[in-house]
């Protein structure tokens, strides 16, 4: 991290921010939101429990008007926008701080905003995770609703500038194409997955939906939290080899809220640093055959599980394939998810007196639709 980046992380915002907030001036994640008085979906930056509406302050700098297009501009534009927004929100800068009229229009309480999917991600749509129907492992197979419904604790990164079909991204350029990260729940129907994955691999056990958190935390915000890469043996092939560290110390938690609980029960505590492969390796591998990318493509990490039992990133692992009961509280137990269960994922990095976090990734299980 260069000196200018370091000094930016020492600034304070004129907007009060709790030390426990995921969104201090050191973070500034991007999201897409709307409000009751303005249903237009627009780009905002989270600061404390507020949102800076970039559409209102666009005259002050050449900022993003569409998040996918902004992702496509590349690292120089990302860093310039970040520094400008940090300066604009700084307690030392009067532009917004001392302009009450502009501040009233530009600063929106998060509590009054509706968040949307942060980028155009292929055919991604908003949904509550609903149990699907397919054959399960009964003998003979039965077409019925999933009975072993599960979450998977993952993270994902969103890609930057587009590439051309047929052109791999070499390792020394991969970082230029990674914009930022979100939390991700890769919902899974385990009984359906077990029935279909040999010999075809999972399809209907996975294709019914994915949930992501609404705020995209940029790689610039995550730089101070780089940690050692996981040792890899055998050594990866040359196109997957990089010597610099590109792993991140991100604390992750999963909680369940359901009938019978007074508050969400945390069932998993893990860390992104448990990942064997880095995001650089993932993107280099994804494109080595010439597969092209577009701004805002979503690349999931895979399940993030640690070595300890309480760090396993799915119900399948936590309950040891249904052989162990997971105690929540008040006598409420689970092996797999039930209708009405709400899964709440959160993640954050611990700084010196502040957190750089992702907020929450929340999804609720609804009953399967009648067939």
């Amino acid at each position: 991290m260069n000196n200018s980046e370091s000094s930016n992380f020492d600034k304070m915002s004129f907007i009060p921010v709790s030390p426990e907030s995921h969104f201090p001036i050191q973070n500034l994640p991007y999201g897409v939101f709307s409000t009751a008085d303005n249903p237009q979906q627009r780009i905002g930056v989270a600061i404390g429990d507020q949102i800076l509406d970039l559409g209102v302050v666009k005259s002050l700098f050449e900022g993003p008007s569409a998040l996918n297009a902004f992702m496509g501009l590349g690292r120089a534009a990302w860093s310039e926008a970040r520094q400008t927004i940090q300066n604009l929100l700084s307690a030392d800068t009067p532009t917004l701080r001392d302009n009450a009229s502009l501040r009233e229009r530009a600063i929106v309480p998060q509590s009054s905003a509706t968040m949307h999917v942060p980028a155009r991600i292929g055919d991604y749509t908003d949904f509550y995770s609903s149990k699907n129907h397919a054959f399960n492992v009964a003998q003979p197979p039965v077409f019925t609703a999933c009975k072993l419904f599960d979450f998977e604790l993952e993270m994902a990164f969103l890609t930057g500038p587009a590439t051309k079909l047929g052109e791999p991204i070499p390792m020394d350029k991969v970082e230029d194409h990674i914009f930022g990260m979100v939390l991700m729940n890769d919902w899974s129907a385990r009984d359906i997955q077990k029935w279909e994955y040999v010999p075809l691999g999972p399809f209907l056990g996975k294709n019914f939906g994915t949930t992501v958190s609404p705020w995209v935390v940029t790689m610039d915000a995550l730089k101070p939290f780089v940690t050692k890469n996981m040792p890899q043996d055998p050594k990866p092939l040359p196109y997957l080899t990089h010597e610099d560290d590109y792993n991140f110390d991100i604390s992750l938690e999963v909680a369940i809220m359901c009938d019978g609980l007074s508050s969400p029960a945390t069932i998993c505590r893990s860390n992104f640093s448990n990942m064997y492969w880095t995001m650089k390796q993932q993107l280099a591998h994804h494109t080595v055959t010439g597969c092209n990318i577009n701004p805002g493509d979503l690349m999931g990490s895979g399940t993030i599980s640690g070595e300890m039992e309480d760090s396993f990133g799915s119900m399948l692992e936590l309950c040891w394939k249904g052989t162990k009961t997971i105690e929540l509280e008040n006598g409420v137990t689970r092996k797999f998810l039930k209708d009405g269960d709400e899964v709440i994922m959160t993640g954050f990095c611990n700084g010196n007196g502040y957190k750089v976090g992702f907020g929450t990734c929340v999804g609720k299980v609804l009953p399967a639709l009648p067939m």
Side-chain angles (χ1 to χ4, degrees):
M1 185 167 65
N2 62 42
N3 290 334
S4 63
E5 290 171 330
S6 178
S7 63
N8 275 339
F9 278 93
D10 294 335
K11 289 184 178 181
M12 297 290 290
S13 170
F14 69 83
I15 296 175
V17 178
S18 162
E20 294 303 309
S21 171
H22 283 200
F23 308 122
I25 198 169
Q26 293 89 345
N27 191 349
L28 304 181
Y30 293 94
V32 175
F33 76 103
S34 62
T35 51
D37 62 340
N38 183 359
Q40 177 68 38
Q41 294 186 18
R42 53 210 192 266
I43 299 178
V45 168
I47 178 71
D49 59 1
Q50 306 291 309
I51 300 173
L52 174 64
D53 188 335
L54 295 189
V56 175
V57 298
K58 63 183 180 182
S59 62
L60 301 179
F61 72 107
E62 293 295 326
S65 58
L67 201 47
N68 283 72
F70 178 60
M71 293 178 188
L73 295 179
R75 291 175 70 190
W78 306 339
S79 295
E80 181 181 358
R82 173 177 170 79
Q83 292 173 13
T84 300
I85 295 169
Q86 280 188 319
N87 185 59
L88 189 62
L89 291 170
S90 169
D92 301 329
T93 305
T95 308
L96 191 56
R97 183 196 67 195
D98 296 347
N99 189 330
S101 175
L102 179 61
R103 195 171 62 247
E104 184 177 359
R105 291 181 288 116
I107 304 298
V108 179
Q110 288 193 34
S111 59
S112 66
T114 298
M115 301 304 299
H116 303 278
V117 179
R120 295 188 306 275
I121 306 170
D123 58 357
Y124 188 95
T125 59
D126 288 322
F127 79 110
Y128 272 176
S129 302
S130 176
K131 290 187 175 182
N132 65 351
H133 293 75
F135 293 99
N136 66 17
V137 292
Q139 294 295 331
V142 177
F143 186 75
T144 185
C146 169
K147 293 180 173 59
L148 303 179
F149 201 66
D150 201 354
F151 68 83
E152 283 190 6
L153 171 62
E154 300 194 20
M155 298 194 73
F157 64 87
L158 288 95
T159 57
T163 59
K164 294 180 180 179
L165 184 64
E167 295 182 0
I169 305 177
M171 184 58 76
D172 62 350
K173 301 294 184 184
V174 166
E175 192 173 355
D176 296 338
H177 295 270
I178 302 177
F179 174 75
M181 298 180 68
V182 293
L183 302 168
M184 185 173 115
N185 183 349
D186 189 16
W187 301 96
S188 300
R190 298 302 187 186
D191 44 357
I192 297 166
Q193 180 180 349
K194 184 176 181 180
W195 181 81
E196 70 183 356
Y197 85 101
V198 178
L200 301 177
F203 180 52
L204 297 183
K206 290 282 191 179
N207 74 341
F208 50 89
T210 299
T211 303
V212 298
S213 52
W215 295 107
V216 184
V217 179
T218 66
M219 302 316 296
D220 277 344
L222 293 171
K223 277 183 181 179
F225 308 101
V226 169
T227 190
K228 293 290 185 182
N229 298 336
M230 190 73 73
Q232 295 181 336
D233 183 21
K235 185 176 181 178
L237 294 171
Y239 80 94
L240 290 174
T241 300
H242 64 92
E243 301 302 326
D244 61 314
D245 288 322
Y246 204 72
N247 199 359
F248 295 87
D249 183 7
I250 305 171
S251 297
L252 299 168
E253 296 182 359
V254 182
I256 293 177
M257 185 62 191
C258 62
D259 290 341
L261 300 185
S262 58
S263 60
T266 299
I267 60 171
C268 168
R269 291 180 174 88
S270 190
N271 195 292
F272 185 75
S273 62
N274 288 315
M275 296 305 300
Y276 185 84
W277 300 102
T278 70
M279 289 179 285
K280 281 188 173 184
Q281 291 174 315
Q282 183 181 352
L283 189 54
H285 184 67
H286 182 87
T287 64
V288 72
T289 57
C291 177
N292 64 309
I293 62 169
N294 290 300
D297 283 352
L298 186 75
M299 304 284 179
S301 65
T303 308
I304 304 170
S305 296
E307 296 181 358
M308 306 301 293
E309 285 190 21
D310 66 351
S311 68
F312 297 161
S314 68
M315 300 291 280
L316 181 71
E317 296 170 272
L318 289 165
C319 75
W320 288 89
K321 297 183 179 179
T323 64
K324 177 181 176 182
T325 298
I326 303 169
E327 302 286 340
L328 300 181
E329 65 174 38
N330 300 331
V332 178
T333 63
R334 287 291 185 274
K335 291 184 177 180
F336 290 91
L337 299 173
K338 296 183 179 181
D339 292 346
D341 287 355
E342 188 174 60
V343 177
I344 306 160
M345 297 180 175
T346 189
F348 56 88
C349 306
N350 278 307
N352 184 15
Y354 67 92
K355 292 182 177 180
V356 168
F358 294 79
T360 56
C361 174
V362 182
K364 188 172 185 178
V365 183
L366 297 183
L369 296 174
M371 297 294 287

